[in-house]
């Protein structure tokens, strides 16, 4: 009994020392978890050679449960025995080659039990160039030129022509509208040509013709040239050189300044607003041939309107713009995006008040346009306060009908030429009287 008691005491005392010694030996021999796992698998494969796995084909999910029970008895069951794992000292390339051969054999054995899958031809898995049909060409070119945006540009240019204080000339109006539309188509086509790799990353623009490969880049450039050159020539020779110069400058500003700046700085929004403000100025210069305060006022109204319109639109597309690599206020400066939209909505009220001061409209215009200007300002304030998608969506849809309504009210309250002629005659008469008084 004393001998057993002595062995127990010495064994308990030596347990910590033995544990430390075992850890040192393990560290010296680099015993890892992977090595123990390898030994376990070797033991299982050597002493349990009856282990096997069953490969059963996947049943059809459409078939009824009664058919599945009938098919289970008819299916062939293929059993594959697990072979011993190769030793540690075997080269890596030999083990990988044997594993590949084993997988090929197992796949060949299961072909009899599993229904063969139809191999897709290699030609079907490769990218193919889409064939262009002549019936689809007008629609493709319309999407390439952004026909809706072009229609908006032409309508604002027409509003500038109609607000000019000169008699209406139908021929000049048609030439100015056609030239402005062609210049807009050219600018939009060049813009899409430059932004193909970035548009492919955005959900909003991934279905554009150049991104999908519906037309070649060469055809897009030729279409832009065939629109831009006749458009500028028509504005320069058919209307006046000032309008043609503004059209050429607008194409340059949109394609060479605004388009690359979209990935560099948030200042692209202000440059883009200038691009949108030039068409009504072109309409005014097409009618009058001069660039005066009335043209600048129309351009200022379009300039301020674009900020609530675009900032509200970009707020719901922040993920798309960040994925495409565009530097927008809604992505990098969300607070500034909301403040700028609110400021320019309030600026529309002041610009509407300047119209009768510049003798473009009667004083009825600021009064009648005040409700719609206050409403869009209210929605801009809610967008500034809430900063959510609901408020931005309401502001965007309001901007779609706000601009046509404002221009229509402005045209309705336009001063007639008879009033201006009468006022000019009165001023001329007073001037004559003053001259007559001075002569004696």
């Amino acid at each position: 009994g004393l001998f057993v008691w002595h062995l127990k005491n010495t064994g308990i005392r030596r347990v910590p020392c033995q544990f430390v010694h075992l850890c040192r030996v393990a560290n010296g021999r680099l015993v890892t978890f992977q090595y123990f796992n390898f030994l376990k698998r070797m033991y299982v494969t050597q002493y349990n050679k009856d282990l096997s796995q069953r490969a059963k084909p996947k049943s059809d999910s459409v078939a009824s449960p009664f058919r599945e029970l009938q098919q289970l008895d008819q299916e062939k069951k293929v059993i594959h025995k697990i072979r011993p794992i190769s030793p540690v000292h075997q080269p890596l390339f030999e083990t990988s080659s044997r594993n590949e051969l084993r997988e090929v054999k197992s796949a060949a054995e299961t072909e009899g039990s599993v229904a063969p899958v139809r191999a897709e031809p290699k030609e079907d898995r490769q990218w193919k160039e889409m064939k262009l049909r002549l019936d689809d060409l007008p629609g493709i070119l319309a999407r390439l030129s952004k026909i809706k945006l072009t229609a908006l540009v032409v309508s604002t240019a027409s509003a500038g022509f109609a607000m000019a204080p000169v008699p209406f000339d139908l021929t000049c109006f048609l030439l100015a509208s056609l030239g402005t539309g062609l210049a807009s188509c050219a600018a939009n086509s060049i813009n899409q040509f430059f932004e193909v790799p970035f548009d492919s990353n955005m959900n909003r623009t991934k279905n554009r013709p150049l991104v999908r490969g519906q037309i070649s880049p060469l055809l897009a450039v030729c279409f832009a040239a065939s629109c831009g050159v006749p458009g500028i020539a028509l504005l320069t020779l058919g209307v006046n050189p000032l309008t043609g110069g503004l059209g050429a400058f607008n194409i340059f500003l949109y394609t060479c300044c605004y388009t690359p700046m979209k990935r560099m700085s948030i200042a692209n929004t202000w440059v883009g607003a200038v691009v949108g403000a030039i068409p009504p100025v072109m309409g005014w210069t097409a009618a009058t041939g001069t660039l005066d305060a009335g043209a600048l006022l129309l351009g200022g109204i379009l300039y301020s309107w674009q900020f609530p319109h675009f900032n509200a639109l970009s707020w719901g597309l922040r993920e798309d713009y960040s994925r495409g690599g565009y530097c927008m206020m809604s992505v990098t400066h969300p607070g500034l995006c909301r403040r700028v939209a609110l400021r320019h909505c309030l600026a529309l009220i002041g610009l509407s008040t300047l119209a009768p001061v510049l003798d473009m409209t009667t004083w009825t215009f600021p009064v009648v346009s005040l409700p719609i200007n206050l409403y869009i300002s209210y929605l801009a304030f809610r967008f500034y306060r809430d900063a959510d998608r609901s408020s931005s969506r309401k502001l965007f849809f309001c901007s779609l009908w706000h601009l046509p309504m404002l221009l229509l009210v402005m045209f309705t309250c336009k001063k007639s030429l008879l009033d201006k002629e009468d006022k000019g005659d009165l001023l001329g008469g007073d001037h004559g009287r003053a001259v007559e008084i001075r002569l004696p």
Side-chain angles (χ1 to χ4, degrees):
L2 293 174
F3 179 72
V4 173
W5 178 78
H6 177 70
L7 289 177
K8 287 182 179 181
N9 290 338
T10 55
I12 292 173
R13 292 174 182 176
R14 292 179 180 178
V15 165
C17 299
Q18 292 177 355
F19 180 76
V20 172
H21 179 70
L22 180 62
C23 291
R24 290 179 178 176
V25 172
N27 291 331
R29 296 182 180 180
L30 298 176
V31 179
T32 59
F33 173 77
Q34 288 81 1
Y35 183 73
F36 282 112
N37 193 17
F38 173 75
L39 293 178
K40 184 185 72 173
R41 285 184 291 165
M42 288 288 294
Y43 175 79
V44 170
T45 53
Q46 288 181 2
Y47 292 94
N48 297 318
K49 295 183 178 180
D50 295 333
L51 293 177
S52 61
Q53 62 182 7
R54 181 178 301 171
K56 184 175 67 175
K58 186 177 180 181
S59 59
D60 191 5
S61 58
V62 182
S64 63
F66 300 100
R67 292 183 180 179
E68 290 182 358
L69 294 176
Q70 295 176 0
Q71 290 177 358
L72 287 175
D73 298 332
Q74 299 176 359
E75 290 174 350
K76 297 180 180 180
K77 300 178 182 178
V78 181
I79 298 175
H80 305 283
K81 292 185 178 181
I82 299 177
R83 298 182 180 182
I85 300 176
S86 57
V88 182
H89 64 273
Q90 188 174 1
L92 181 61
F93 66 92
E94 293 183 4
T95 57
S96 60
S97 61
R98 288 189 178 183
N99 291 331
E100 291 176 359
L101 290 174
R102 191 180 305 147
E103 291 176 359
V104 171
K105 289 181 180 179
S106 62
E109 292 175 356
T110 54
E111 282 183 354
S113 58
V114 184
V117 181
R118 185 178 61 86
E120 189 178 2
K122 186 177 180 180
E123 297 179 355
D124 296 343
R125 289 186 280 109
Q126 292 179 352
W127 289 98
K128 292 183 178 180
E129 186 178 358
M130 300 182 68
K131 295 182 179 179
L132 178 62
R133 297 187 303 177
L134 294 179
D135 299 339
D136 301 334
L137 186 59
I140 293 174
L141 295 180
R143 286 188 287 120
L144 180 66
S145 60
K146 301 179 185 178
I147 194 64
K148 294 181 180 180
L149 181 59
T150 300
L152 178 62
V153 170
V154 173
S155 63
T156 55
S158 303
F161 191 95
M163 287 301 300
V166 293
F168 185 79
D169 187 359
L170 181 60
T171 305
C172 184
F173 172 75
L174 294 177
L175 291 176
S177 299
L178 181 59
T180 304
L182 291 175
S184 177
C185 291
N188 293 327
S189 302
I190 298 173
N191 172 261
Q192 290 195 34
F193 172 77
F194 285 148
E195 293 184 343
V196 169
F198 309 100
D199 288 343
S200 60
N201 296 324
M202 299 175 61
N203 294 326
R204 186 173 67 96
T205 57
K206 65 182 181 181
N207 291 323
R208 286 179 173 176
L210 283 172
V211 177
R212 296 185 60 188
Q214 292 178 328
I215 58 173
S216 63
L218 179 60
L219 180 58
V221 173
C222 293
F223 173 73
S226 62
C227 290
V229 174
I232 299 302
L234 195 63
L235 291 174
T236 304
L237 303 177
V239 183
N240 53 61
L242 179 59
T243 307
L246 287 174
F249 174 71
N250 210 20
I251 293 177
F252 170 78
L253 196 64
Y254 186 69
T255 57
C256 300
C257 297
Y258 171 70
T259 300
M261 283 184 66
K262 289 168 69 175
R263 295 177 296 277
M264 297 169 57
S265 172
I266 61 172
N268 68 84
T269 307
W270 282 267
V271 177
V274 174
V275 173
I278 289 179
V281 179
M282 293 173 59
W284 184 285
T285 58
T288 62
T290 58
L291 186 63
D292 50 10
L296 297 179
L297 177 62
L298 286 173
I301 291 175
L302 264 295
Y303 178 82
S304 294
W305 171 83
Q306 287 178 90
F307 285 96
H309 172 76
F310 181 74
N311 288 10
L313 173 65
S314 63
W315 190 266
L317 301 173
R318 288 177 293 174
E319 294 82 3
D320 257 10
Y321 281 124
S322 60
R323 192 182 303 113
Y326 293 113
C327 189
M328 297 295 174
M329 275 193 292
S330 59
V331 179
T332 59
H333 300 78
L336 180 64
C337 176
R338 303 193 306 270
R339 290 195 301 270
V340 169
L342 179 59
R343 290 172 189 168
H344 284 274
C345 285
L346 297 175
L348 288 173
I349 302 175
L351 292 172
S352 300
T353 311
L354 285 177
V357 175
L358 297 177
D359 205 22
M360 291 179 58
T361 63
T362 61
W363 284 97
T364 312
F365 171 66
V367 177
V368 177
S369 63
L370 184 61
I372 59 177
N373 288 334
L374 287 177
Y375 183 68
I376 194 173
S377 300
Y378 167 70
L379 293 180
F381 174 73
R382 289 191 57 184
F383 172 57
Y384 170 75
R385 182 190 62 185
D386 300 337
D388 56 358
R389 292 183 181 271
S390 176
S391 59
S392 65
R393 194 180 301 112
K394 291 180 180 178
L395 178 60
F396 171 72
F397 284 113
C398 176
S399 66
L400 293 179
W401 61 261
H402 174 270
L403 181 64
M405 185 68 68
L406 184 65
L407 295 177
L408 181 61
V409 173
M410 192 175 189
F411 178 74
T412 306
C413 300
K414 175 188 174 183
K415 279 192 175 181
S416 62
L417 295 176
L418 295 176
D419 296 339
K420 293 184 179 181
E421 289 177 357
D422 294 340
K423 187 176 179 180
D425 293 339
L426 290 174
L427 292 176
D430 295 339
H431 182 68
R433 289 176 186 174
V435 171
E436 291 176 359
I437 293 171
R438 289 176 185 174
L439 285 176

